[in-house]
Amino acid sequence: MKSNIQLKDLKYVYFLGIGGIGMSAIARWFLHNGFPVAGYDKTESPLTKTLSQEGMQIHYTDDISCIPSDILADTAHSLFIYTPAIPANHVEKNYLLDLGIPLYKRSEILGWITEQIPTLAVAGTHGKTTTSSLLTHLLIHANKNVTAFLGGITQNYGTNFIPNKEKDNIICVVEADEYDRSFLTLHPYAAVVTSTDADHLDIYGASEQVLESFQLFVSQIQDKGFFIQKVGLDLSSNNKKATFGIESGDFQAVNIRIQNHRMVFDMLYPEGEIKDIPMRIPGFHNIENALAAAALAMQVGLTGEEIKEGIASFLGVKRRFEYHVETDEHVMIDDYAHHPTEIAACLNSVRALYPNEKIVAVFQPHLFSRTRDFLADFAQSLSLADELYLLDIYPARELAIPGVSSEKLLELINLEKKQCISKEDLKLAIQEQKPRLLVTMGAGDIDLLLSDLKSSLQ
């Protein structure tokens, strides 16, 4: 980041897209360190309401007059941060640019904040939010002085930002986001890559460019640092490196078994073994995430017993295989899965935990471009359910693409019971059907339906 503003001279911070999960973590860091924070977001959400309650000044109308006058009167001592999801025709953004005011991406600010703090970075097209959140919990549980920037709300702490308690001996945990190549601003001491599946092809163009970007990220790990990757990946590093996986790799899970709809496993690692690790968060993919977090935690001195106790007490991340109902009559699980690989991991894990139950799934596709690029893969993954309700595509930052629709996806899904449905009709359908096992998936605004769906079941 090439900012003329030094932290000691900073007076105000303004965010365009303050309600994003990553942006809000940065906003909280500034507020925690005593800087007034204001910002714009498109819609009010539970997160933006919380930010407002914490003391941030937030508005939802794209209007120059809504930018606090104190900030516009002293732009020389103000920092302006934006998310790439802000559209090109955004009024406030273009007004600031026309004034010649530099706008910084969240990733640039994150690089600026963390460049002098030993940083553990978690990257990957899947698994990085749970892995970074679990890593943070392991360190806190072991009484390390941690600050963390996460991409989800941790169940243990109810936040996506963990402030450090002291100013010395800080360990920083960062969820390293590959979207828009944001993670290339980071130079971590140690890093993990959980996956490199093709995604964000609207940004990268082709899977080869995705892989190239991950390799560049790995090359930025500091000298004498540490790199770990999932078995099967082939990223190269001059640093000390290791692999993790189920029944393979330097850090591996073995003897996986299911007890009372929960998973338990043993972990083998180069120096020994940890037996009988109980997971509160289910899923084979979450066992892999736990291995990755444990491997990084061991690089900063955690013991096997600390690892076991930390994993056992980790409650998970909101919208990551999150139970909303768990009774003898009904189970309702919500997951952020929005890529075919994530959907398959979610549904396969549900099937392993509840082998005798019919899986009724609800999916909201996220982005027209992603739906187009992985149409056949989405159809294959969604066919793992027994019955499917398909919502309209959530456009996010995109305009509609002709010929790309939920109806087109539905045609390719190999299920007898499947239908496209509106949000209102979905509530009625669930209320009428009352399925014993309901799984909701998607990265759009499907989470706004969860309360109603839960009520429909109960």
Side-chain angles (χ1 to χ4, degrees), residues 77-147:
H77 297 98
S78 300
L79 203 57
F80 295 86
I81 305 166
Y82 77 103
T83 171
I86 289 290
N89 63 349
H90 194 268
V91 174
E92 292 185 26
K93 176 184 175 183
N94 287 304
Y95 174 76
L96 296 171
L97 288 174
D98 289 343
L99 289 177
I101 296 171
L103 304 183
Y104 299 101
K105 293 181 182 178
R106 165 191 172 271
S107 56
E108 293 178 292
I109 300 298
L110 194 55
W112 182 51
I113 292 171
T114 62
E115 61 187 352
Q116 296 181 5
I117 303 174
T119 297
L120 307 178
V122 179
T125 44
H126 325 296
K128 55 183 175 290
T129 299
T130 298
T131 303
S132 57
S133 299
L134 175 51
L135 173 60
T136 299
H137 176 66
L138 292 176
L139 297 173
I140 292 173
H141 188 269
N143 295 314
K144 298 291 185 182
N145 184 26
V146 184
T147 190

Side-chain angles (χ1 to χ4, degrees), residues 316-328:
V317 181
K318 283 188 180 296
R319 302 224 58 229
R320 279 19 177 229
F321 215 101
E322 180 182 5
Y323 280 87
H324 284 261
V325 179
E326 191 177 11
T327 67
D328 291 339

Side-chain angles (χ1 to χ4, degrees), residues 8 36 39 46 56 74 76 84 119 161 177 188 211 214 231 242 251 261 263-264 279 286 338 362 400 458:
K8 61 182 178 62
M56 300 183 201
D74 194 3
T119 297
F161 166 65
D177 189 4
L211 199 59
F214 274 101
V231 169
F251 295 80
H261 302 305
M263 291 180 167
V264 182
M279 293 274 290
N286 280 326
H338 57 284
V362 180
Q458 296 178 321

